[in-house]
Amino acid sequence: MSRMCRVGGMNTPLISLKNMSIRIDGRTILEHVNAAVSEAEIVTIVGPNGSGKSTLLRAIIGAITPSEGQVSRAPGLRIGYVPQKLALDAAFPMTVQRFLGLPKRISARKALDALERAGVPDLRNRQMTQLSGGQFQRVLLARALLDDPQVLLLDEATQGLDQPGAAAFYQRIEQVRRDLGCAIVMVSHDLHVVMAASDRVLCLNGHICCEGSPHTVADAPEYRALFGSGTKGMMALYQHQHSHSHDHDHHHDQETTN
């Protein structure tokens, strides 16, 4: 059972999905999804392409209205969101500071605080178009952290990064969770990385196939049917690597490219 936090004097999850179904253009994307996100936990959503992972996140932030059921959020809940990708016009000059201040300008101090949390304090005056893939994702993370979110959503935020860059990014996410005490909800294909970093895993394929701790899900027949039994060994390999010291976690990340 996931931990519960106190909001408004009542024990309640930060986010609750109750019997939620989503249909788009007559096609069922998600059906009868029941899930909750509680304070400070890291929840990973895995599933094959077309399984409804991004749709689930869009429902959580309110960009999609469920066809059935409901999405409940704690009153005044602050949500940070790191998208799967973001296209910027290469001909349009924009510093990182200016990007973080859209649509409303922010102080240099606030921008620097967010970049420090994301692990890239030296990027504030760099041009967005000059950033590597890993640096760009860190800046998107900094933007999501500007308002001290209680829940941080990441939609395949390491897409295009190599394995060391992805691992460094997720280690930074763990640090953010420790610093802010926020819940993390991640969608990813990096099974061997995110599974090891998670408190709880939801395996999705139009509905929740299985749910639980990373090792519980990795042993579930539903999970193995989707991803194969070899992923459990990949997860164990990452956990062994993760036990080592990573004092320069953003060094790998800054060198990765799309």
Side-chain angles (χ1 to χ4, degrees):
M1 177 178 288
S2 60
R3 290 177 292 160
M4 311 299 278
C5 68
R6 295 191 65 84
V7 180
M10 298 177 63
N11 287 330
T12 181
L14 297 176
I15 296 170
S16 179
L17 311 178
K18 297 180 180 179
N19 203 34
M20 186 189 74
S21 296
I22 294 177
R23 299 181 185 88
I24 299 176
D25 296 330
R27 185 166 64 97
T28 298
I29 308 299
L30 292 171
E31 189 170 25
H32 305 311
V33 173
N34 291 280
V37 178
S38 297
E39 184 182 44
E41 68 172 342
I42 297 182
V43 180
T44 296
I45 303 170
V46 299
N49 290 332
S51 62
K53 301 185 299 295
S54 294
T55 299
L56 181 60
L57 286 197
R58 292 179 68 194
I60 289 175
I61 64 175
I64 294 179
T65 301
S67 305
E68 295 178 8
Q70 63 180 357
V71 178
S72 300
R73 306 172 193 85
L77 185 67
R78 300 185 306 276
I79 297 178
Y81 177 63
V82 181
Q84 187 175 117
K85 57 185 176 181
L86 180 67
L88 295 179
D89 189 341
F92 186 71
M94 181 184 299
T95 64
V96 169
Q97 165 82 34
R98 178 62 178 144
F99 173 75
L100 293 178
L102 293 176
K104 182 180 180 181
R105 289 186 182 274
I106 60 173
S107 68
R109 180 70 260 174
K110 186 171 184 178
L112 183 58
D113 286 346
L115 290 169
E116 285 178 342
R117 285 175 175 170
V120 284
D122 55 332
L123 296 183
R124 185 165 61 88
N125 295 315
R126 290 278 298 276
Q127 290 290 322
M128 289 293 295
T129 54
Q130 295 176 353
L131 302 179
S132 71
Q135 291 170 333
F136 194 93
Q137 290 307 108
R138 292 296 187 99
V139 171
L140 291 182
L141 173 60
R143 183 181 172 90
L145 297 175
L146 283 172
D147 294 321
D148 296 331
Q150 294 162 282
V151 179
L152 180 62
L153 306 178
L154 301 102
D155 189 359
E156 298 197 45
T158 60
Q159 190 176 56
L161 302 185
D162 60 15
Q163 184 173 334
F169 186 89
Y170 287 124
Q171 288 162 23
R172 175 56 56 173
I173 292 300
E174 290 180 289
Q175 183 64 49
V176 166
R177 193 261 296 261
R178 288 193 294 269
D179 291 345
L180 297 183
C182 61
I184 310 286
V185 180
M186 302 189 294
V187 166
S188 182
H189 281 112
D190 301 321
L191 300 178
H192 54 297
V193 176
V194 297
M195 291 277 283
S198 303
D199 298 316
R200 191 156 53 90
V201 177
L202 302 181
C203 184
L204 196 68
N205 193 20
H207 64 284
I208 295 179
C209 303
C210 52
E211 173 183 2
S213 69
H215 282 288
T216 297
V217 170
D219 284 332
E222 297 89 347
Y223 174 86
R224 293 184 176 222
L226 289 173
F227 298 109
S229 59
T231 54
K232 184 175 181 180
M234 294 166 65
M235 182 177 67
L237 173 64
Y238 174 73
Q239 286 179 317
H240 171 71
Q241 294 171 341
H242 183 64
S243 66
H244 296 172
S245 174
H246 295 275
D247 294 331
H248 305 288
D249 67 325
H250 74 278
H251 176 72
H252 293 295
D253 201 344
Q254 290 185 357
E255 292 183 347
T256 55
T257 58
N258 285 323

